[in-house]
Amino acid sequence: MNAICGILGRRDASALEAMIVALRARGDVSYKTVTESYAVAASHPIENDICLLDGSPRLNTVNHVSPSMLHGYCSTLQRPASLAIKGPYACAVGLEGGARWWLMRDGLGRRPLYYFQGSGFLAFASELKALLASGLVPKRLNLLAVDRYLTLRCVPGPESIIAGVFRVQPGHIIEYHDGRVNETRSTGFDLQPRDQPRESAARQLRALLGDALDREAADSVLWSSGIDCASLASLRPKLKPVFVTLDRVWQDEARLAKESARLMDLSLQTLHARRLTEETVHKAVRALDEPLADPSVLPLWLIAEAASENNSSYVSGHGADELLGGYPRFNFLQKARGAKGLIPAGLLTDLMPALPPNAFIRRGSRYLASIHDVQESYLSLVSVFDRGEREDLYTDAMKSAIHEMGCGIPAVQEHFTEGDLTRSVLSLDLHVGIPNLLLTKCDRIAAAHGLNVHHPYLDDDLVDFAIRLPAKTKYGVRSKPLLRLATRGTMPAAVRLRARRDFHIPQSGRALRVIEAVAAQCVTPDRVDATGLFRWCAVDSILREATHNVYRRRQFWALVMFFAWY
Protein backbone atom coordinates (compact mmCIF):
# COMPACT_ATOMS: atom_id res chain seq x y z
CA MET A 1 0.00 0.00 0.00
CA ASN A 2 1.18 3.53 -0.74
CA ALA A 3 1.00 6.87 1.09
CA ILE A 4 1.37 10.54 0.20
CA CYS A 5 1.88 13.73 2.22
CA GLY A 6 3.01 17.30 1.80
CA ILE A 7 3.00 20.95 2.81
CA LEU A 8 1.95 23.50 0.18
CA GLY A 9 2.72 27.20 0.33
CA ARG A 10 5.98 27.01 2.24
CA ARG A 11 9.18 25.03 2.73
CA ASP A 12 9.07 22.85 5.85
CA ALA A 13 11.34 19.82 5.55
CA SER A 14 11.18 18.94 9.25
CA ALA A 15 7.37 18.78 9.31
CA LEU A 16 7.45 16.69 6.13
CA GLU A 17 9.89 14.26 7.71
CA ALA A 18 7.66 13.89 10.77
CA MET A 19 4.72 13.01 8.52
CA ILE A 20 6.82 10.47 6.62
CA VAL A 21 7.73 8.73 9.87
CA ALA A 22 4.07 8.63 10.96
CA LEU A 23 3.09 6.99 7.65
CA ARG A 24 5.69 4.20 7.72
CA ALA A 25 3.17 1.57 8.75
CA ARG A 26 1.14 2.42 5.66
CA GLY A 27 3.94 2.59 3.11
CA ASP A 28 7.57 3.46 2.49
CA VAL A 29 7.31 7.17 1.73
CA SER A 30 10.91 7.48 0.57
CA TYR A 31 10.61 9.85 -2.40
CA LYS A 32 10.68 13.57 -1.56
CA THR A 33 10.70 16.89 -3.36
CA VAL A 34 11.37 20.06 -1.36
CA THR A 35 11.26 23.55 -2.89
CA GLU A 36 10.76 27.06 -1.54
CA SER A 37 6.99 26.82 -2.13
CA TYR A 38 6.21 23.21 -1.24
CA ALA A 39 7.54 20.00 0.32
CA VAL A 40 5.93 16.73 -0.76
CA ALA A 41 6.58 12.99 -0.48
CA ALA A 42 5.20 9.75 -1.91
CA SER A 43 5.83 6.02 -2.11
CA HIS A 44 6.79 6.29 -5.79
CA PRO A 45 9.33 8.39 -7.75
CA ILE A 46 8.22 12.02 -8.16
CA GLU A 47 8.67 13.41 -11.66
CA ASN A 48 8.86 17.03 -12.82
CA ASP A 49 5.13 16.92 -13.55
CA ILE A 50 4.18 16.35 -9.94
CA CYS A 51 1.46 13.81 -9.19
CA LEU A 52 1.50 11.99 -5.86
CA LEU A 53 -0.66 8.88 -6.10
CA ASP A 54 -2.00 6.32 -3.65
CA GLY A 55 -4.05 3.62 -5.39
CA SER A 56 -4.59 2.18 -8.83
CA PRO A 57 -6.88 4.39 -10.94
CA ARG A 58 -8.03 3.49 -14.42
CA LEU A 59 -9.06 5.77 -17.25
CA ASN A 60 -11.21 4.71 -20.21
CA THR A 61 -9.49 1.59 -21.62
CA VAL A 62 -6.29 2.04 -19.57
CA ASN A 63 -6.49 -0.22 -16.51
CA HIS A 64 -3.37 1.09 -14.77
CA VAL A 65 -2.90 4.86 -14.91
CA SER A 66 0.57 6.08 -13.93
CA PRO A 67 1.16 9.33 -12.00
CA SER A 68 2.47 11.05 -15.15
CA MET A 69 -0.61 9.97 -17.14
CA LEU A 70 -2.90 11.25 -14.40
CA HIS A 71 -1.04 14.57 -14.33
CA GLY A 72 -1.40 14.92 -18.09
CA TYR A 73 -5.12 14.19 -17.89
CA CYS A 74 -5.67 16.82 -15.17
CA SER A 75 -3.56 19.37 -17.08
CA THR A 76 -5.86 19.13 -20.08
CA LEU A 77 -8.91 19.98 -17.94
CA GLN A 78 -7.57 23.40 -16.92
CA ARG A 79 -10.09 23.58 -14.05
CA PRO A 80 -11.82 21.11 -11.70
CA ALA A 81 -14.59 19.27 -13.51
CA SER A 82 -16.22 15.90 -13.90
CA LEU A 83 -13.58 13.18 -14.08
CA ALA A 84 -13.74 9.92 -16.01
CA ILE A 85 -11.34 8.25 -13.58
CA LYS A 86 -12.37 4.97 -11.96
CA GLY A 87 -10.77 2.64 -9.46
CA PRO A 88 -9.41 3.28 -5.95
CA TYR A 89 -7.20 6.35 -5.64
CA ALA A 90 -6.28 9.47 -3.69
CA CYS A 91 -3.83 11.90 -5.23
CA ALA A 92 -2.29 15.36 -5.09
CA VAL A 93 -1.57 16.92 -8.49
CA GLY A 94 0.72 19.95 -8.84
CA LEU A 95 -0.25 22.16 -11.79
CA GLU A 96 1.34 25.30 -13.24
CA GLY A 97 4.73 24.36 -11.79
CA GLY A 98 3.32 23.82 -8.32
CA ALA A 99 1.40 27.12 -8.14
CA ARG A 100 -1.98 25.31 -8.23
CA TRP A 101 -2.77 21.99 -6.55
CA TRP A 102 -5.63 19.52 -6.78
CA LEU A 103 -6.33 16.99 -4.01
CA MET A 104 -8.68 14.24 -5.23
CA ARG A 105 -10.32 10.99 -4.12
CA ASP A 106 -12.33 8.35 -5.94
CA GLY A 107 -16.12 8.41 -5.73
CA LEU A 108 -16.43 5.77 -2.98
CA GLY A 109 -13.47 6.94 -0.89
CA ARG A 110 -11.44 3.73 -1.15
CA ARG A 111 -8.24 5.64 -0.37
CA PRO A 112 -8.05 8.27 2.41
CA LEU A 113 -6.77 11.85 2.20
CA TYR A 114 -6.88 14.52 4.92
CA TYR A 115 -5.90 18.18 4.83
CA PHE A 116 -5.44 21.17 7.15
CA GLN A 117 -5.30 24.81 6.09
CA GLY A 118 -3.06 27.00 8.24
CA SER A 119 -1.84 30.55 7.91
CA GLY A 120 -0.40 30.71 4.40
CA PHE A 121 -0.08 26.94 3.91
CA LEU A 122 -2.02 23.73 3.40
CA ALA A 123 -0.82 20.37 4.75
CA PHE A 124 -2.18 17.05 3.48
CA ALA A 125 -1.56 13.37 4.22
CA SER A 126 -3.02 9.92 3.66
CA GLU A 127 -3.77 9.55 7.36
CA LEU A 128 -4.80 11.89 10.14
CA LYS A 129 -1.99 10.72 12.40
CA ALA A 130 0.58 12.13 9.95
CA LEU A 131 -0.95 15.61 10.10
CA LEU A 132 -0.92 15.48 13.90
CA ALA A 133 2.72 14.34 13.86
CA SER A 134 3.73 17.33 11.72
CA GLY A 135 3.33 19.76 14.60
CA LEU A 136 1.33 22.07 12.32
CA VAL A 137 -2.13 21.04 13.55
CA PRO A 138 -3.54 22.07 16.96
CA LYS A 139 -4.78 18.99 18.80
CA ARG A 140 -8.33 20.08 19.64
CA LEU A 141 -11.45 17.93 19.57
CA ASN A 142 -14.21 18.75 17.12
CA LEU A 143 -17.20 18.62 19.49
CA LEU A 144 -19.77 18.37 16.70
CA ALA A 145 -17.82 15.42 15.30
CA VAL A 146 -17.95 13.73 18.72
CA ASP A 147 -21.73 14.19 18.77
CA ARG A 148 -22.03 12.71 15.27
CA TYR A 149 -19.74 9.81 16.15
CA LEU A 150 -21.96 8.90 19.08
CA THR A 151 -24.94 8.97 16.72
CA LEU A 152 -23.64 7.13 13.64
CA ARG A 153 -20.64 5.09 14.94
CA CYS A 154 -18.32 7.22 12.79
CA VAL A 155 -17.68 10.87 11.92
CA PRO A 156 -19.62 11.64 8.72
CA GLY A 157 -19.03 14.31 6.11
CA PRO A 158 -15.90 16.36 5.42
CA GLU A 159 -15.01 17.11 9.04
CA SER A 160 -12.75 14.89 11.13
CA ILE A 161 -12.64 14.28 14.88
CA ILE A 162 -9.88 16.94 15.10
CA ALA A 163 -11.01 20.56 14.76
CA GLY A 164 -9.73 22.17 11.57
CA VAL A 165 -8.73 18.91 9.87
CA PHE A 166 -10.91 17.86 6.94
CA ARG A 167 -11.21 14.89 4.64
CA VAL A 168 -11.18 15.30 0.90
CA GLN A 169 -14.71 14.10 0.26
CA PRO A 170 -15.09 11.05 -2.02
CA GLY A 171 -15.69 12.18 -5.58
CA HIS A 172 -14.48 15.73 -4.90
CA ILE A 173 -11.52 17.92 -5.84
CA ILE A 174 -9.96 20.33 -3.37
CA GLU A 175 -8.16 23.08 -5.30
CA TYR A 176 -5.47 25.08 -3.45
CA HIS A 177 -4.27 28.25 -5.20
CA ASP A 178 -3.02 31.59 -3.90
CA GLY A 179 -3.74 30.52 -0.33
CA ARG A 180 -7.41 29.77 -1.03
CA VAL A 181 -9.27 26.44 -0.92
CA ASN A 182 -12.15 25.62 -3.26
CA GLU A 183 -14.13 22.37 -3.42
CA THR A 184 -15.66 20.94 -6.59
CA ARG A 185 -17.62 17.71 -7.04
CA SER A 186 -15.98 15.56 -9.71
CA THR A 187 -18.26 12.53 -9.72
CA GLY A 188 -21.54 11.39 -8.21
CA PHE A 189 -24.10 8.60 -8.05
CA ASP A 190 -27.27 8.18 -10.10
CA LEU A 191 -29.80 6.73 -7.67
CA GLN A 192 -32.83 6.81 -9.94
CA PRO A 193 -34.14 3.24 -10.07
CA ARG A 194 -34.25 1.50 -13.43
CA ASP A 195 -36.68 -1.35 -13.88
CA GLN A 196 -35.01 -4.61 -14.79
CA PRO A 197 -36.30 -8.17 -14.40
CA ARG A 198 -34.51 -10.08 -11.68
CA GLU A 199 -33.25 -12.80 -14.06
CA SER A 200 -31.71 -10.20 -16.37
CA ALA A 201 -30.22 -8.28 -13.43
CA ALA A 202 -28.69 -11.51 -12.06
CA ARG A 203 -26.94 -12.21 -15.36
CA GLN A 204 -25.59 -8.68 -15.50
CA LEU A 205 -24.43 -8.85 -11.88
CA ARG A 206 -22.53 -12.05 -12.59
CA ALA A 207 -20.80 -10.49 -15.62
CA LEU A 208 -19.87 -7.31 -13.76
CA LEU A 209 -18.50 -9.25 -10.79
CA GLY A 210 -16.41 -11.35 -13.16
CA ASP A 211 -15.04 -8.20 -14.82
CA ALA A 212 -14.18 -6.74 -11.41
CA LEU A 213 -12.26 -9.90 -10.49
CA ASP A 214 -10.36 -9.74 -13.78
CA ARG A 215 -9.01 -6.35 -12.74
CA GLU A 216 -7.60 -7.67 -9.46
CA ALA A 217 -4.18 -9.27 -9.26
CA ALA A 218 -4.71 -11.08 -5.95
CA ASP A 219 -4.65 -14.88 -6.04
CA SER A 220 -6.20 -15.49 -2.58
CA VAL A 221 -9.62 -14.78 -1.09
CA LEU A 222 -10.36 -14.14 2.58
CA TRP A 223 -12.78 -16.98 3.26
CA SER A 224 -15.84 -17.26 5.46
CA SER A 225 -18.88 -19.51 5.46
CA GLY A 226 -21.09 -17.12 3.48
CA ILE A 227 -22.06 -16.47 -0.10
CA ASP A 228 -20.03 -13.27 -0.61
CA CYS A 229 -16.58 -14.88 -0.79
CA ALA A 230 -17.98 -18.15 -2.16
CA SER A 231 -19.36 -16.24 -5.17
CA LEU A 232 -15.89 -14.83 -5.88
CA ALA A 233 -14.38 -18.30 -5.75
CA SER A 234 -17.12 -19.76 -7.95
CA LEU A 235 -16.39 -17.18 -10.65
CA ARG A 236 -12.60 -17.52 -10.32
CA PRO A 237 -11.83 -21.09 -9.19
CA LYS A 238 -8.10 -20.34 -9.15
CA LEU A 239 -8.52 -18.10 -6.11
CA LYS A 240 -7.03 -19.77 -3.03
CA PRO A 241 -9.40 -19.60 -0.03
CA VAL A 242 -7.73 -18.61 3.25
CA PHE A 243 -9.74 -18.85 6.46
CA VAL A 244 -8.67 -17.45 9.84
CA THR A 245 -10.17 -19.11 12.89
CA LEU A 246 -11.17 -16.84 15.75
CA ASP A 247 -12.22 -17.27 19.34
CA ARG A 248 -15.80 -18.56 19.21
CA VAL A 249 -17.17 -15.56 21.10
CA TRP A 250 -16.55 -13.39 18.00
CA GLN A 251 -17.99 -15.69 15.39
CA ASP A 252 -18.35 -19.44 15.43
CA GLU A 253 -18.23 -20.42 11.77
CA ALA A 254 -15.11 -22.57 11.41
CA ARG A 255 -17.17 -25.70 10.77
CA LEU A 256 -19.36 -24.02 8.17
CA ALA A 257 -16.38 -22.40 6.43
CA LYS A 258 -14.70 -25.78 6.06
CA GLU A 259 -17.95 -27.32 4.91
CA SER A 260 -18.40 -24.63 2.22
CA ALA A 261 -14.89 -25.22 0.88
CA ARG A 262 -15.43 -28.99 0.86
CA LEU A 263 -18.73 -28.72 -1.01
CA MET A 264 -17.10 -26.44 -3.60
CA ASP A 265 -14.12 -28.80 -3.93
CA LEU A 266 -11.67 -26.09 -2.81
CA SER A 267 -8.47 -26.65 -0.89
CA LEU A 268 -8.93 -24.46 2.17
CA GLN A 269 -5.92 -23.07 4.00
CA THR A 270 -6.70 -22.50 7.67
CA LEU A 271 -4.79 -20.03 9.82
CA HIS A 272 -5.21 -19.40 13.53
CA ALA A 273 -5.60 -15.91 14.96
CA ARG A 274 -3.74 -14.91 18.06
CA ARG A 275 -5.66 -14.32 21.24
CA LEU A 276 -6.93 -10.83 21.92
CA THR A 277 -4.81 -8.83 24.38
CA GLU A 278 -5.03 -5.33 25.81
CA GLU A 279 -2.03 -4.37 23.66
CA THR A 280 -3.88 -5.58 20.55
CA VAL A 281 -6.88 -3.39 21.37
CA HIS A 282 -4.69 -0.30 21.74
CA LYS A 283 -2.79 -1.05 18.53
CA ALA A 284 -6.03 -1.40 16.58
CA VAL A 285 -7.46 1.82 17.97
CA ARG A 286 -4.27 3.78 17.19
CA ALA A 287 -4.27 2.47 13.62
CA LEU A 288 -7.83 3.67 12.97
CA ASP A 289 -6.94 7.41 13.05
CA GLU A 290 -10.43 8.24 14.35
CA PRO A 291 -12.69 6.29 16.72
CA LEU A 292 -15.07 3.79 15.11
CA ALA A 293 -17.84 2.23 17.16
CA ASP A 294 -17.82 -0.98 15.14
CA PRO A 295 -17.45 -4.29 17.00
CA SER A 296 -15.93 -5.94 13.92
CA VAL A 297 -12.75 -3.85 14.24
CA LEU A 298 -11.04 -6.22 16.67
CA PRO A 299 -11.81 -9.54 14.92
CA LEU A 300 -10.83 -7.97 11.57
CA TRP A 301 -7.56 -6.87 13.14
CA LEU A 302 -6.88 -10.43 14.32
CA ILE A 303 -7.76 -11.80 10.86
CA ALA A 304 -5.46 -9.31 9.13
CA GLU A 305 -2.65 -10.08 11.56
CA ALA A 306 -2.82 -13.80 10.77
CA ALA A 307 -3.40 -13.32 7.03
CA SER A 308 -0.39 -11.01 6.67
CA GLU A 309 1.92 -13.83 7.70
CA ASN A 310 0.66 -15.92 4.78
CA ASN A 311 0.28 -13.49 1.87
CA SER A 312 0.15 -9.75 1.16
CA SER A 313 -2.73 -9.50 -1.34
CA TYR A 314 -6.31 -10.75 -1.04
CA VAL A 315 -9.78 -10.17 -2.42
CA SER A 316 -12.60 -9.76 0.07
CA GLY A 317 -16.39 -9.97 0.08
CA HIS A 318 -16.84 -6.60 1.79
CA GLY A 319 -19.45 -4.36 0.20
CA ALA A 320 -21.88 -7.08 -0.90
CA ASP A 321 -24.22 -6.54 2.06
CA GLU A 322 -24.36 -2.77 1.55
CA LEU A 323 -25.03 -2.88 -2.20
CA LEU A 324 -26.96 -6.08 -2.80
CA GLY A 325 -29.57 -6.16 -0.06
CA GLY A 326 -27.67 -7.84 2.77
CA TYR A 327 -29.55 -5.62 5.19
CA PRO A 328 -33.22 -6.07 4.16
CA ARG A 329 -34.48 -4.34 7.30
CA PHE A 330 -34.25 -1.03 5.40
CA ASN A 331 -36.77 -2.31 2.88
CA PHE A 332 -38.97 -3.57 5.70
CA LEU A 333 -38.85 -0.14 7.33
CA GLN A 334 -40.03 1.42 4.09
CA LYS A 335 -42.97 -1.02 3.97
CA ALA A 336 -43.76 -0.36 7.61
CA ARG A 337 -44.16 3.32 6.81
CA GLY A 338 -47.19 2.40 4.74
CA ALA A 339 -49.07 2.01 7.99
CA LYS A 340 -48.02 5.39 9.40
CA GLY A 341 -51.56 6.74 9.11
CA LEU A 342 -52.62 4.16 11.69
CA ILE A 343 -50.02 5.26 14.28
CA PRO A 344 -51.33 7.69 16.93
CA ALA A 345 -48.05 9.61 17.12
CA GLY A 346 -49.38 12.28 19.50
CA LEU A 347 -50.63 9.68 21.98
CA LEU A 348 -47.29 7.83 21.90
CA THR A 349 -45.40 11.07 22.52
CA ASP A 350 -47.54 11.69 25.61
CA LEU A 351 -47.04 8.13 26.87
CA MET A 352 -43.25 7.94 26.41
CA PRO A 353 -42.31 9.60 29.76
CA ALA A 354 -44.36 6.94 31.54
CA LEU A 355 -42.69 4.00 29.80
CA PRO A 356 -40.26 1.82 31.80
CA PRO A 357 -36.53 2.68 31.51
CA ASN A 358 -35.85 -0.02 28.96
CA ALA A 359 -33.80 1.07 25.92
CA PHE A 360 -35.54 -1.31 23.51
CA ILE A 361 -39.04 -0.18 24.51
CA ARG A 362 -38.07 3.48 24.36
CA ARG A 363 -36.39 3.12 20.96
CA GLY A 364 -39.40 1.37 19.48
CA SER A 365 -41.71 4.01 20.91
CA ARG A 366 -39.60 6.84 19.54
CA TYR A 367 -39.62 5.22 16.12
CA LEU A 368 -43.41 5.02 16.12
CA ALA A 369 -43.79 8.53 17.49
CA SER A 370 -41.55 9.96 14.76
CA ILE A 371 -42.76 7.75 11.91
CA HIS A 372 -44.00 10.81 9.98
CA ASP A 373 -40.39 12.14 9.87
CA VAL A 374 -38.26 9.83 7.71
CA GLN A 375 -34.92 10.93 9.13
CA GLU A 376 -35.94 10.95 12.78
CA SER A 377 -37.67 7.57 12.59
CA TYR A 378 -34.59 6.01 11.00
CA LEU A 379 -32.15 7.57 13.47
CA SER A 380 -34.35 6.56 16.41
CA LEU A 381 -33.61 2.93 15.57
CA VAL A 382 -30.01 2.92 14.29
CA SER A 383 -28.33 5.63 16.40
CA VAL A 384 -25.86 4.44 18.99
CA PHE A 385 -27.19 7.20 21.26
CA ASP A 386 -30.43 8.81 20.16
CA ARG A 387 -31.11 12.51 20.79
CA GLY A 388 -32.51 12.00 24.28
CA GLU A 389 -29.74 9.61 25.33
CA ARG A 390 -27.06 12.08 24.20
CA GLU A 391 -28.76 14.81 26.21
CA ASP A 392 -28.55 12.55 29.30
CA LEU A 393 -24.90 11.76 28.58
CA TYR A 394 -23.53 15.27 28.00
CA THR A 395 -22.45 17.89 30.51
CA ASP A 396 -24.13 21.29 30.40
CA ALA A 397 -21.00 22.73 28.77
CA MET A 398 -21.08 20.11 26.00
CA LYS A 399 -24.81 20.65 25.39
CA SER A 400 -24.27 24.40 25.18
CA ALA A 401 -21.38 23.99 22.73
CA ILE A 402 -23.38 21.62 20.51
CA HIS A 403 -26.33 24.00 20.54
CA GLU A 404 -24.16 26.97 19.53
CA MET A 405 -22.53 25.03 16.69
CA GLY A 406 -25.82 23.68 15.37
CA CYS A 407 -27.01 20.26 16.48
CA GLY A 408 -28.14 19.00 13.08
CA ILE A 409 -26.17 16.52 10.99
CA PRO A 410 -25.96 17.88 7.42
CA ALA A 411 -24.17 14.73 6.29
CA VAL A 412 -27.38 12.84 7.20
CA GLN A 413 -30.05 15.44 6.45
CA GLU A 414 -29.12 15.85 2.79
CA HIS A 415 -29.93 12.19 2.10
CA PHE A 416 -33.46 12.28 3.55
CA THR A 417 -35.02 14.63 1.03
CA GLU A 418 -37.74 12.29 -0.24
CA GLY A 419 -40.25 9.85 1.21
CA ASP A 420 -38.54 6.69 -0.09
CA LEU A 421 -36.70 5.44 3.00
CA THR A 422 -34.94 2.65 1.08
CA ARG A 423 -33.36 5.12 -1.37
CA SER A 424 -32.51 7.53 1.45
CA VAL A 425 -30.68 4.83 3.40
CA LEU A 426 -28.85 3.72 0.23
CA SER A 427 -27.69 7.30 -0.31
CA LEU A 428 -26.59 7.51 3.32
CA ASP A 429 -24.65 4.25 2.97
CA LEU A 430 -22.89 5.46 -0.20
CA HIS A 431 -21.86 8.78 1.27
CA VAL A 432 -21.36 7.94 4.96
CA GLY A 433 -21.47 4.26 5.89
CA ILE A 434 -19.28 2.84 3.11
CA PRO A 435 -16.53 5.50 3.01
CA ASN A 436 -16.41 6.50 6.69
CA LEU A 437 -17.10 3.17 8.39
CA LEU A 438 -16.62 0.13 6.14
CA LEU A 439 -13.73 1.35 3.99
CA THR A 440 -12.02 3.29 6.77
CA LYS A 441 -11.69 0.25 9.01
CA CYS A 442 -10.69 -2.02 6.10
CA ASP A 443 -8.10 0.46 4.81
CA ARG A 444 -6.44 1.24 8.15
CA ILE A 445 -6.37 -2.36 9.34
CA ALA A 446 -4.94 -3.59 6.04
CA ALA A 447 -2.35 -0.78 5.94
CA ALA A 448 -1.22 -1.51 9.49
CA HIS A 449 -0.37 -5.09 8.42
CA GLY A 450 1.11 -4.34 5.00
CA LEU A 451 -1.84 -5.92 3.19
CA ASN A 452 -3.47 -5.04 -0.10
CA VAL A 453 -7.14 -6.04 0.21
CA HIS A 454 -9.27 -5.61 -2.91
CA HIS A 455 -13.07 -5.31 -2.88
CA PRO A 456 -14.64 -6.54 -6.16
CA TYR A 457 -18.16 -5.78 -4.90
CA LEU A 458 -17.14 -2.11 -4.69
CA ASP A 459 -15.94 -1.93 -8.30
CA ASP A 460 -17.22 1.28 -9.93
CA ASP A 461 -19.21 -0.42 -12.69
CA LEU A 462 -20.82 -2.87 -10.28
CA VAL A 463 -21.71 -0.05 -7.85
CA ASP A 464 -23.29 2.04 -10.62
CA PHE A 465 -25.40 -0.97 -11.60
CA ALA A 466 -26.41 -2.05 -8.09
CA ILE A 467 -27.52 1.34 -6.79
CA ARG A 468 -30.09 1.72 -9.59
CA LEU A 469 -31.80 -1.59 -8.94
CA PRO A 470 -35.38 -1.16 -7.72
CA ALA A 471 -36.29 -2.50 -4.29
CA LYS A 472 -38.44 -5.31 -5.73
CA THR A 473 -35.38 -6.64 -7.59
CA LYS A 474 -32.79 -6.15 -4.85
CA TYR A 475 -34.72 -7.29 -1.76
CA GLY A 476 -36.45 -10.53 -0.92
CA VAL A 477 -37.28 -12.86 1.94
CA ARG A 478 -33.63 -13.89 2.10
CA SER A 479 -30.78 -11.41 2.10
CA LYS A 480 -29.01 -10.73 -1.23
CA PRO A 481 -31.52 -12.61 -3.41
CA LEU A 482 -29.96 -11.27 -6.61
CA LEU A 483 -26.50 -12.60 -5.75
CA ARG A 484 -28.01 -15.97 -4.83
CA LEU A 485 -29.77 -16.05 -8.19
CA ALA A 486 -26.65 -14.97 -10.09
CA THR A 487 -24.64 -17.86 -8.64
CA ARG A 488 -27.27 -20.54 -9.10
CA GLY A 489 -25.66 -23.52 -10.78
CA THR A 490 -22.13 -22.45 -9.83
CA MET A 491 -22.14 -23.61 -6.22
CA PRO A 492 -24.06 -26.04 -4.00
CA ALA A 493 -27.39 -24.83 -2.66
CA ALA A 494 -26.19 -25.40 0.92
CA VAL A 495 -23.60 -22.65 0.38
CA ARG A 496 -25.66 -20.40 -1.87
CA LEU A 497 -28.67 -20.27 0.47
CA ARG A 498 -26.78 -19.98 3.77
CA ALA A 499 -27.84 -17.07 5.99
CA ARG A 500 -25.43 -14.20 6.61
CA ARG A 501 -23.58 -14.06 9.92
CA ASP A 502 -22.17 -11.03 11.76
CA PHE A 503 -19.36 -10.57 14.21
CA HIS A 504 -20.58 -10.17 17.78
CA ILE A 505 -19.51 -8.15 20.79
CA PRO A 506 -18.25 -10.85 23.20
CA GLN A 507 -20.55 -11.40 26.17
CA SER A 508 -18.41 -13.94 27.97
CA GLY A 509 -14.97 -15.53 27.98
CA ARG A 510 -11.44 -14.25 27.81
CA ALA A 511 -12.06 -11.69 25.04
CA LEU A 512 -14.75 -9.99 27.14
CA ARG A 513 -12.39 -9.84 30.12
CA VAL A 514 -9.75 -8.15 27.94
CA ILE A 515 -12.27 -5.57 26.67
CA GLU A 516 -13.52 -4.94 30.21
CA ALA A 517 -9.92 -4.46 31.38
CA VAL A 518 -9.35 -1.88 28.64
CA ALA A 519 -12.60 -0.15 29.65
CA ALA A 520 -11.56 -0.10 33.32
CA GLN A 521 -8.21 1.42 32.31
CA CYS A 522 -9.50 4.00 29.82
CA VAL A 523 -12.98 4.94 31.01
CA THR A 524 -12.36 6.22 34.55
CA PRO A 525 -14.05 9.00 36.49
CA ASP A 526 -10.95 11.18 36.23
CA ARG A 527 -10.59 10.73 32.46
CA VAL A 528 -14.30 11.26 31.84
CA ASP A 529 -14.38 14.41 33.97
CA ALA A 530 -11.18 15.70 32.33
CA THR A 531 -12.86 15.80 28.92
CA GLY A 532 -15.60 18.09 30.17
CA LEU A 533 -17.92 16.35 27.70
CA PHE A 534 -19.71 13.59 29.59
CA ARG A 535 -21.40 13.11 32.96
CA TRP A 536 -19.71 10.30 34.87
CA CYS A 537 -22.97 9.08 36.40
CA ALA A 538 -24.41 8.53 32.89
CA VAL A 539 -21.22 6.82 31.66
CA ASP A 540 -21.08 4.61 34.75
CA SER A 541 -24.69 3.54 34.21
CA ILE A 542 -23.85 2.42 30.66
CA LEU A 543 -20.79 0.49 31.83
CA ARG A 544 -22.84 -1.36 34.47
CA GLU A 545 -25.79 -2.14 32.16
CA ALA A 546 -23.78 -3.19 29.08
CA THR A 547 -24.73 -6.86 29.43
CA HIS A 548 -28.47 -6.16 29.75
CA ASN A 549 -29.53 -5.16 26.23
CA VAL A 550 -28.23 -4.61 22.74
CA TYR A 551 -28.43 -0.81 22.83
CA ARG A 552 -26.37 -0.57 26.01
CA ARG A 553 -23.75 -2.91 24.52
CA ARG A 554 -23.45 -0.66 21.46
CA GLN A 555 -23.12 2.40 23.70
CA PHE A 556 -20.52 0.66 25.87
CA TRP A 557 -18.52 -0.17 22.73
CA ALA A 558 -18.71 3.42 21.42
CA LEU A 559 -17.46 4.86 24.70
CA VAL A 560 -14.65 2.34 25.07
CA MET A 561 -13.41 2.97 21.53
CA PHE A 562 -13.59 6.74 22.03
CA PHE A 563 -11.66 6.77 25.30
CA ALA A 564 -9.11 4.22 24.07
CA TRP A 565 -8.50 6.58 21.12
CA TYR A 566 -8.63 9.75 23.24
Side-chain angles (χ1 to χ4, degrees), residues 35 41 139 178 193 205 208 298 345 438 445 452 457 485 511 545 552:
T35 72
K139 297 180 180 179
D178 287 341
L205 171 61
L208 289 169
L298 295 182
L438 174 66
I445 291 173
N452 284 303
Y457 288 103
L485 181 59
E545 297 174 10
R552 284 306 200 200

Side-chain angles (χ1 to χ4, degrees), residues 223 225-227 230-231 233-234 256 258-266 478 483-485 487-499:
W223 193 253
S225 66
I227 188 176
S231 298
S234 70
L256 293 175
K258 294 175 182 177
E259 179 71 3
S260 294
R262 183 188 66 80
L263 291 172
M264 295 180 66
D265 197 24
L266 298 172
R478 290 182 179 272
L483 182 60
R484 299 182 194 279
L485 181 59
T487 54
R488 187 169 60 188
T490 67
M491 68 176 74
V495 179
R496 187 171 59 85
L497 300 178
R498 185 168 289 150

Side-chain angles (χ1 to χ4, degrees), residues 472-550:
K472 64 182 180 181
T473 301
K474 182 185 293 187
Y475 297 101
V477 176
R478 290 182 179 272
S479 65
K480 293 169 283 196
L482 196 63
L483 182 60
R484 299 182 194 279
L485 181 59
T487 54
R488 187 169 60 188
T490 67
M491 68 176 74
V495 179
R496 187 171 59 85
L497 300 178
R498 185 168 289 150
R500 65 180 303 277
R501 299 161 66 88
D502 287 321
F503 290 116
H504 308 293
I505 300 176
Q507 299 182 53
S508 63
R510 186 179 181 280
L512 177 62
R513 291 194 293 274
V514 169
I515 294 169
E516 289 177 336
V518 171
Q521 179 187 72
C522 297
V523 192
T524 64
D526 289 343
R527 294 197 81 218
V528 171
D529 291 341
T531 67
L533 307 179
F534 310 120
R535 297 166 53 243
W536 168 249
C537 60
V539 172
D540 184 51
S541 175
I542 292 168
L543 297 179
R544 287 185 288 102
E545 297 174 10
T547 58
H548 295 178
N549 64 63
V550 64

Side-chain angles (χ1 to χ4, degrees), residues 218-222 240 242 271 306-316 451-455:
D219 63 355
S220 299
V221 56
L222 289 173
K240 303 171 186 175
V242 177
L271 308 175
S308 66
E309 298 174 1
N310 176 74
N311 201 343
S312 62
S313 186
Y314 294 89
V315 293
S316 160
L451 289 174
N452 284 303
V453 180
H454 309 276
H455 309 292

Side-chain angles (χ1 to χ4, degrees), residues 254-307:
R255 180 186 63 81
L256 293 175
K258 294 175 182 177
E259 179 71 3
S260 294
R262 183 188 66 80
L263 291 172
M264 295 180 66
D265 197 24
L266 298 172
S267 178
L268 180 66
Q269 181 176 4
T270 302
L271 308 175
H272 298 278
R274 294 189 177 96
R275 283 189 166 187
L276 183 70
T277 65
E278 293 177 41
E279 181 184 8
T280 303
V281 176
H282 289 295
K283 281 183 178 179
V285 172
R286 284 195 299 270
L288 289 176
D289 260 355
E290 302 183 71
L292 290 179
D294 187 335
S296 69
V297 164
L298 295 182
L300 285 176
W301 180 276
L302 297 173
I303 289 171
E305 185 179 50

Side-chain angles (χ1 to χ4, degrees), residues 28 83-85 89 201 208 214 234 271 308 323 325 352 367 388 486 508 527 551 563:
D28 181 15
L83 301 178
I85 307 171
Y89 70 90
L208 289 169
D214 288 341
S234 70
L271 308 175
S308 66
L323 291 173
M352 279 177 59
Y367 168 72
S508 63
R527 294 197 81 218
Y551 286 108
F563 279 98

